[in-house]
Amino acid sequence: MNSLKQNNKTAISPTRKEDYPEWYQQIIKAADLAEVSPVRGCMTIKPWGYAIWENMQRVLDDKLKATGHKNIYFPLLIPASFLEKEAEQVTGFAKECAVVTHCRLVHNDEGKLVPGSPLEEPYIIRPTSETIIGEAFSRWIQSHRDLPLLVNQWANVMRWEMRTRMFLRTSEFLWQEGHTAHATANEAQTEALKIFDLYAQFAEDYMAMPVIKGEKTATERFPGAVNTYTIEAMMQDRKALQAGTSHFLGQNFAKAFNIKFLGTESREEFAYTTSWGVSTRLIGGLIMTHSDDNGLVLPPKLAPVHVVILPIMHKEEQRAEILAYCDQLAHDLRQIQYDNKRIIVEIDTRELTGGEKAWSWVKKGVPFRVEVGQKECQNNAVFVGRRDLEYKERVSQNRQEFLATIATQLDEMQEKLHKRACDFRKQHTLHIDSKADFYDFFTNTEGGFAEAHWDGNPEIEAKIKQDLNVTIRCIPSQETPQPGKCIFSDNKSPQRVIFAKSY
Amino acid sequence: MNSLKQNNKTAISPTRKEDYPEWYQQIIKAADLAEVSPVRGCMTIKPWGYAIWENMQRVLDDKLKATGHKNIYFPLLIPASFLEKEAEQVTGFAKECAVVTHCRLVHNDEGKLVPGSPLEEPYIIRPTSETIIGEAFSRWIQSHRDLPLLVNQWANVMRWEMRTRMFLRTSEFLWQEGHTAHATANEAQTEALKIFDLYAQFAEDYMAMPVIKGEKTATERFPGAVNTYTIEAMMQDRKALQAGTSHFLGQNFAKAFNIKFLGTESREEFAYTTSWGVSTRLIGGLIMTHSDDNGLVLPPKLAPVHVVILPIMHKEEQRAEILAYCDQLAHDLRQIQYDNKRIIVEIDTRELTGGEKAWSWVKKGVPFRVEVGQKECQNNAVFVGRRDLEYKERVSQNRQEFLATIATQLDEMQEKLHKRACDFRKQHTLHIDSKADFYDFFTNTEGGFAEAHWDGNPEIEAKIKQDLNVTIRCIPSQETPQPGKCIFSDNKSPQRVIFAKSY
């Protein structure tokens, strides 16, 4: 019945151990999350992948609205001249942007479609919207009464990436970008930190993905930012994933775009701004945090389906009874609340064997699979498989008991995934106190997060990056930083920072 | 206190009668829905406008999911060569599309940013996604078991329009586009009609905007469609607005993109496809259906705020009592269900006079305004203004009574707006039975919808368009069409069709 288990094979080949990057691609394929598109560097997000994104959006959007942010929509295109205003953004984004130069296609002599009417000024497809939003803020903000201004947009953006990987780095991606303006540096800083906390809570509570909160070094900051706050997660190959960033932009953008307001003492002042975003990259993080060699594993709070019911019918005459039992079960499950919503249930009536059906949902990461055959109908039972347990650990449960405990069981699975990821990170995070050990860790071992002292010198950062392809992921936010001695220079170090290879 | 009423002026100038197109722009400005952006032909949708769009999205998305459609996301860019495959789409969209030709900006000698690295093949920004989705469908669909395939995407699209008007016609707009594939012509036709009904119900039930359902003539069809179903609404200047379309594409796109499946009898067949969409244009329709010379009027079911509470404080010592009364009122209102959601309430504590506050919400179209001053607190009362009534018709109500009836009152307002729009359309829809009357109607009167017999000849259509700028909006869907004689040719006509000027 289950050929996979008989052969002791995994559903995904290669395994994580055999070839992690290829395993990642195969997980996406097996769960039917997305596919590479015929457009260079872009992906098509398929229904299962998009449903996960919608779940993420709903939670984040609610949180952002609850903290006073309003959604807006700015144009996709940005006049090239806007990039000239913010010198740092130019170096950051001009190198990798899609440029619109014409507004018509015409047939050439060979009958091919080629660009027709040239535009007076080129536009770029937004790589991020600070510049065009800055222009608007300069008009919208006149007085201190117009502040704070807190807006957010859900949008597609484009950065012409050379090496792409689905969800993690694609030329086009979907995200939310928040942009705010404030009267004082302190208020803007507080806002940037508030969102930083919100992102971290979302990662921990919903994605079950532990993150380290910290500041980026000057080298790794967003172009034009005074401070970039980041949440960094460890993937199962022990590389770091930057999962979300929140930027305190000081008055840099306000000066570039002339965002001024009349203060309480009738003096004109530049506003202080922030920007922050998370993207479909989070789906990549979700995949790489929890999935195993049998496919995707979804934390229940973000799963598009919580329970899939699999009717197992060996004979035609059993059909009506089994399907009726499944319908009633689905109905009863849908009355139950989980995470302030109703439990989402699907019944898989496809004409496949029980094993084929079950494994297709294993690969899609659905938290609970419930098999229902003749025996279950007779015994008022259900045969339950939980995605984070071994396939063979399926158990028979009384139907009423299953209904009474399913919400708790979903909670338990959510917590267990979080704990497992925390344990994994802990296991692969080391204090490193000498340069030799540091080089050894990133050369001769499987690596992970190295917590080491660093004196703040960007030249050391550059050297490490060049030697080992390792960067400082963040300077962790700590209540009482412990000073020490830089392991590269012997100079004083204010606190340990996190070094890792990264996506 | 209310300077507007004292001078017998309207809040919006010019009025509808004085200058309808300018009135429309002023409504958008006064309600702060959107603004023209520095990007040619594009608009920025501001929080109030975007919140209306989000409400529309939520309703439509729920309806589409309930009918088995799954959301996906396809790339923004389409290789120019894809347009070559569908000849009709080329003529339709190649003339007005944004073309991406480079992937980098560089500084020229004068220090300006100009396009850098040219791409091997140009891309266009999607004007609609039939072509790129067609390519995917050809890979996804192999067998009859893969059908029907029902997907939808919420996306931005771009058509390089020459004359633009906010919401109604902009170069970039937001929409949903559904794309489906089926095994038989009949199934695809049924799907196209199902969505057509869904759109019409949404317009009537949520937008309170009556629509005429019908088919487009061959001239007015979507490029490549066998049939285009349309919903047409009458605006207050008696012009028609095409509010949504659903296309039965037959096998045209399937043949162009090689979408084939193995049928039940193991014969390879081309699939039948549909596509359909509604866009932010609906917001333009909403504005022009209900708004008056004092500003926007929102049907309660789509209003971002149902009730705004306006504390009126003349003396500082009243402040605490009045604000506490308002908070309690807001709290109680938020416990009440309306249209399966909680009532949405805002308290306006800005430091403005009562009149200024009230009029700002009149202009934003909020269904109910509740003024609370010292008198209301003492009498356990509220002073209520309803947006579809005259400003002076505000009434004092007992607080408990107001709470007990608000959901019904919202329903009543929703219905009244619908009825008022139906009456308006009826008043301006005429049976016209001679060519002379027809030309007179569209030349010497205020015009409207003309229901007239037409023989199906596209040359007549072209002549009328040229002479009067009037088009056939649709051939209405009717159970028992009444035949007659074409008023232009005296030939036989199967039924009356709707002629009108349009947006």
Side-chain angles (χ1 to χ4, degrees), chain B residues 355-367:
Chain B
E356 283 171 323
K357 274 191 204 177
W359 279 96
S360 77
W361 294 102
V362 167
K363 288 187 274 187
K364 278 184 162 320
V366 167

Side-chain angles (χ1 to χ4, degrees), chain B residues 411-451:
Chain B
D411 273 334
E412 274 171 20
M413 178 171 164
Q414 179 84 24
E415 274 167 42
K416 190 184 144 197
L417 291 183
H418 187 252
K419 182 167 184 313
R420 189 162 77 179
C422 288
D423 290 347
F424 182 86
R425 185 182 68 183
K426 200 170 170 193
Q427 196 184 332
H428 296 285
T429 302
L430 265 74
H431 273 213
I432 291 188
D433 291 319
S434 80
K435 184 177 168 180
D437 287 352
F438 186 93
Y439 273 69
D440 183 58
F441 182 65
F442 284 114
T443 312
N444 303 319
T445 80
E446 287 184 318
F449 285 6
E451 297 178 322

Side-chain angles (χ1 to χ4, degrees), chain A residues 54 73 97 101 103 139 172, chain B residues 35 71 73 97 101 103 172:
Chain A
E54 285 183 303
Y73 188 76
C97 61
T101 56
C103 66
R139 288 180 291 104
E172 183 189 10
Chain B
E35 66 177 28
N71 285 340
Y73 188 76
C97 60
T101 56
C103 65
E172 183 188 13

Side-chain angles (χ1 to χ4, degrees), chain A residues 35 39-40 45 54 65 71 73 76-77 84 94 97 99 101-105 113 139-140 156 172, chain B residues 35 39 45 54 65 71 73 76-77 84 94 97 99 101-105 113 123 139-140 156 172:
Chain A
E35 67 178 27
V39 180
R40 209 200 131 283
I45 308 179
E54 285 183 303
K65 281 178 177 150
N71 284 340
Y73 188 76
L76 172 72
L77 299 183
E84 290 164 12
C97 61
V99 189
T101 56
H102 293 71
C103 66
R104 181 196 272 259
L105 286 176
L113 284 170
R139 288 180 291 104
W140 297 354
N156 52 345
E172 183 189 10
Chain B
E35 66 177 28
V39 180
I45 307 180
E54 286 183 303
K65 282 177 176 151
N71 285 340
Y73 188 76
L76 171 73
L77 299 183
E84 289 164 12
C97 60
V99 189
T101 56
H102 293 71
C103 65
R104 181 194 271 257
L105 285 177
L113 284 169
Y123 290 98
R139 288 180 289 105
W140 297 354
N156 52 345
E172 183 188 13

